[in-house]
Amino acid sequence: MAADRIKSLNLSHVVLPLDNPVSDAKVLTGRQKPLTETVLLFVEVTTEQGFEGMGFSYSKRAGGPAQFAHLKEIAQVAIGQDPSDIAKIYESLMWAGASVGRSGVATQAVAALDVALYDLKARRAGLPLAKLLGAHRDSCRVYNTSGGFLQAGVEEIKEKATASLEAGIGGIKIKVGQPDWAEDLRRVAAVREHLGDTPLMVDANQQWDRARARRMCRELEQFDLIWIEEPLDAWDAVGHADLSRVFDTPIATGEMLTSVPEHMALIDAGYRGIVQPDAPRIGGITPFLKFATLAAHAGLALAPHYAMEIHLHLAAAYPTEPWVEHFEWLNPLFEERIDIHDGQMWVPDRPGLGFTLSDQMRKLTVESVKFTA
């Protein structure tokens, strides 16, 4: 087959409102406002030979317009390049935006295009992305987070947990980390009693200092949790590593980190917990796979954060059995749905990521720009 070239790129800035605002510990401790929307950057790629791909990145509370603006500045660099040369294209985009660094908004903007190129490559091969990468499994364990936020009372959380389990989801995660740590323990105890031996996780969203984290991890041992997530500041690699070596309950962290070096700080510190890289945040599938290889070599378990439409494929290609996080928030943007049953999320048999953009996504687009050869 003759070499193909990227003919056009369409960038879309999309604002997706939530049905109801949600609050985690960052809200209750006064550090952020309730979350009311997700802002996304979509990229649609078309080649000279007529192949297409779609990818996205996202932000919460702030950063969405910055992601769109940054990719808008540098996207022209990809026009005319061979879409199969994903690593080469990635490097060219990094150099085009080098003055703003290789993490944060700079990589999150490029992530949308990087994901689109992987989607295109798998579609052209007629394979689901997991199969193109080399899958270890056809499904992954799935847990739900969206029903466990702190604005909800315990009875509401229990009702939503029951509904999730009846829908085929295998585990439940709830938020902790509020100013009254005793209330955290009461809520966890109530949910654990309600769930029985169903897998249960908790997420403190970075709200404890090291002393409080040690005390809380000790108190939470009694609940037989799958993990305790982000007990400390996301960039406290040493603190997370220390906790992961002391307690029986696994520690989980990594969702906020925006580069491979930031994730590698955990491994370098001797971290023994669960890593939670987020492909749109770390900079796309290219850096995600780079870190996943290093994490697997270090013997770490994987539980990617959010964006299940992307992460299901990446988790299926990880050597040891991972967890995938279920959030239904992005459903309005896509025509298809993921099959979930028996506690597992199943890899679609459709080529690429397995999703097409919906009319609703077009209606929620507030700005778009197209680049052509």
Side-chain angles (χ1 to χ4, degrees):
M1 180 181 292
D4 202 356
R5 301 287 178 225
I6 295 176
K7 180 181 180 181
S8 68
L9 296 172
N10 191 71
L11 282 53
S12 299
H13 174 201
V14 176
V15 178
L16 174 64
L18 299 182
D19 291 337
N20 297 292
V22 299
S23 298
D24 57 23
K26 298 187 294 292
V27 176
L28 273 65
T29 55
R31 292 174 172 173
Q32 290 185 340
K33 295 179 180 179
L35 181 64
T36 59
E37 63 189 22
T38 300
V39 180
L40 300 104
L41 167 61
F42 279 92
V43 174
E44 296 164 86
V45 182
T46 303
T47 74
E48 291 176 353
Q49 294 180 12
F51 294 103
E52 298 178 343
M54 177 276 297
F56 66 91
S57 189
Y58 74 93
S59 64
K60 297 175 181 177
R61 293 185 177 90
Q67 291 178 8
F68 180 81
H70 184 67
L71 190 58
K72 182 179 176 180
E73 275 196 288
I74 64 174
Q76 187 69 43
V77 170
I79 296 295
Q81 295 204 53
D82 187 332
S84 294
D85 297 338
I86 300 177
K88 178 182 176 184
I89 294 170
Y90 196 91
E91 284 299 309
S92 68
L93 291 166
M94 286 292 97
W95 278 110
S99 66
V100 292
R102 290 174 175 259
S103 63
V105 168
T107 46
Q108 292 165 5
V110 173
L113 175 51
D114 187 71
V115 172
L117 292 175
Y118 272 95
D119 180 52
L120 186 153
K121 198 168 193 175
R123 288 194 197 189
R124 186 174 60 192
L127 296 170
L129 178 58
K131 298 294 186 181
L132 180 76
L133 297 175
H136 285 270
R137 58 195 63 83
D138 293 325
S139 67
C140 298
R141 294 176 295 183
V142 57
Y143 71 97
N144 177 263
T145 294
S146 59
F149 280 82
L150 290 174
Q151 84 286 341
V154 170
E155 292 306 312
E156 181 181 344
I157 290 175
K158 290 180 349 186
E159 290 175 6
K160 289 183 176 179
T162 297
S164 291
L165 297 177
E166 290 175 349
I169 291 170
I172 301 296
K173 187 173 80 178
I174 67 171
K175 301 290 186 175
V176 294
Q178 55 192 316
D180 184 356
W181 61 268
E183 178 61 19
D184 277 337
L185 295 176
R186 285 192 287 270
R187 287 165 67 94
V188 174
V191 175
R192 168 49 80 204
E193 181 180 13
H194 176 72
L195 293 177
D197 61 0
T198 295
L200 175 64
M201 306 83 162
V202 301
D203 183 358
N205 288 112
Q206 312 177 67
Q207 296 309 292
W208 298 326
D209 59 24
R210 289 184 178 183
R212 173 56 60 196
R214 286 193 298 272
R215 293 187 178 100
M216 290 302 292
C217 287
R218 190 174 298 113
E219 292 285 349
L220 290 166
E221 292 271 59
Q222 63 184 300
F223 299 114
D224 190 27
L225 302 173
I226 300 299
W227 69 67
I228 300 168
E229 185 170 334
E230 283 194 328
L232 299 168
D233 182 276
W235 286 267
D236 186 358
V238 171
H240 280 109
D242 289 346
L243 292 175
S244 74
R245 293 192 297 264
V246 170
F247 295 100
D248 291 338
T249 304
I251 304 300
T253 192
E255 68 177 64
M256 298 300 298
L257 306 181
T258 63
S259 69
V260 172
E262 289 174 9
H263 282 273
M264 279 304 299
L266 289 165
I267 295 177
D268 292 342
Y271 184 66
R272 296 293 181 266
I274 298 165
V275 287
Q276 299 181 297
D278 180 319
R281 280 184 174 163
I282 198 175
I285 293 174
T286 294
F288 185 104
L289 294 176
K290 181 178 181 180
F291 174 66
T293 298
L294 298 168
H297 179 71
L300 301 179
L302 178 79
H305 168 256
Y306 201 62
M308 61 186 183
E309 296 81 4
I310 300 170
H311 290 134
L312 173 56
H313 293 274
L314 305 184
Y318 196 69
T320 57
E321 188 175 11
W323 284 90
V324 174
E325 186 171 29
H326 175 266
F327 265 99
E328 69 281 1
W329 292 355
L330 303 187
N331 282 353
L333 305 176
F334 306 107
E335 293 291 347
E336 299 82 5
R337 296 291 177 265
I338 297 177
D339 182 22
I340 297 173
H341 60 84
D342 298 326
Q344 301 282 118
M345 182 181 289
W346 296 80
V347 175
D349 58 8
R350 303 178 295 273
L353 294 175
F355 294 94
T356 51
L357 298 175
S358 67
D359 291 340
Q360 183 68 4
M361 175 269 177
R362 305 294 180 192
K363 293 176 183 177
L364 293 170
T365 298
V366 296
E367 185 179 3
S368 63
V369 61
K370 187 171 185 177
F371 298 88
T372 58

